[in-house]
Amino acid sequence: MNHELLPTALDALAKARASLPQQSRQVIDTKSSDTDPVTAADRALERAIRDTIAEQRPNDTFIGEEYGATDHAAGTTRWIVDPIDGTVNYSYSIPSYAISIAAEINGRVEVGLVFDVGHNELFQAVRGQGATCNGVPLQASQETELARALCGTGFGYSATTRKLQAQVLHEVIDEIRDIRRFGAAAIDICWTGAGRVDGYFETGLKVWDYAAASLVATEAGARFATDLPGIGDDGLTVAAGSGLFDALSDRIVGLYQGLAR
């Protein structure tokens, strides 16, 4: 793969990976709720990523989970960073969490990297050049039947939101093959691109959760949409192989709309 932004993205990822073993899993803060933790590592890794990129590209801008957004001008490159996607897993030493770095120009993600730390897998995509995992090309699932679909999902930090998400899951669980819940949206979406799950849905994701992974999935042949009707202001994200996407998204959107009535 070739893109002028790819070497910078890989350098930033390498700096974060090198820093991670020295970091603490200690929870030092919370965000949206008491169950939405921030560890010392979250902040250290995001700072390492930002600093590495800024050294090479001082005019670029950032948006990240821990340090928010810098001023952004149209036409400039924006980096979208989630230093640890799956912080709860990380804080519990559950090996399902990822470092996610995306480069966006004019509202389109052009380069995406997701490093699944626990499995030592690097998902990589460049727009128009496909997607790989540790250098092996990816291909999304060819499944077309909802009843045979293995689907990933996730739950929010708000107890009220989780209850509504569980109601949707209760309704759809006997209409699909089964559900998997790994606890890191970026990994779930990349695994959709890899065909390890046939589809994925979740409400309430932020741009840093899905930016890099969405390019991996779509470059592997999956379809991806975010901000579909979900719970209030929490939009619904769906990713699936092209033959399954319409059936899955229509069914999940319909269930959320039913809850809203």
Side-chain angles (χ1 to χ4, degrees), residues 214-234:
S214 67
L215 185 64
V216 171
T218 55
E219 284 294 318
R223 290 173 61 189
F224 175 89
T226 193
D227 291 335
L228 298 170
I231 304 170
D233 294 332
D234 286 342

Side-chain angles (χ1 to χ4, degrees), residues 9-24 41 44-46 48-49 52 83-84 90 97 99 101 115 117 120:
L10 289 168
D11 285 349
L13 176 62
K15 182 62 70 71
R17 289 177 62 179
S19 171
L20 185 58
Q22 285 76 52
Q23 302 306 323
S24 170
L45 264 63
E46 184 165 325
I49 291 167
T52 302
I84 300 179
Y90 172 72
Y97 54 92
I99 303 167
I101 303 172
F115 180 62
V117 179
N120 194 33

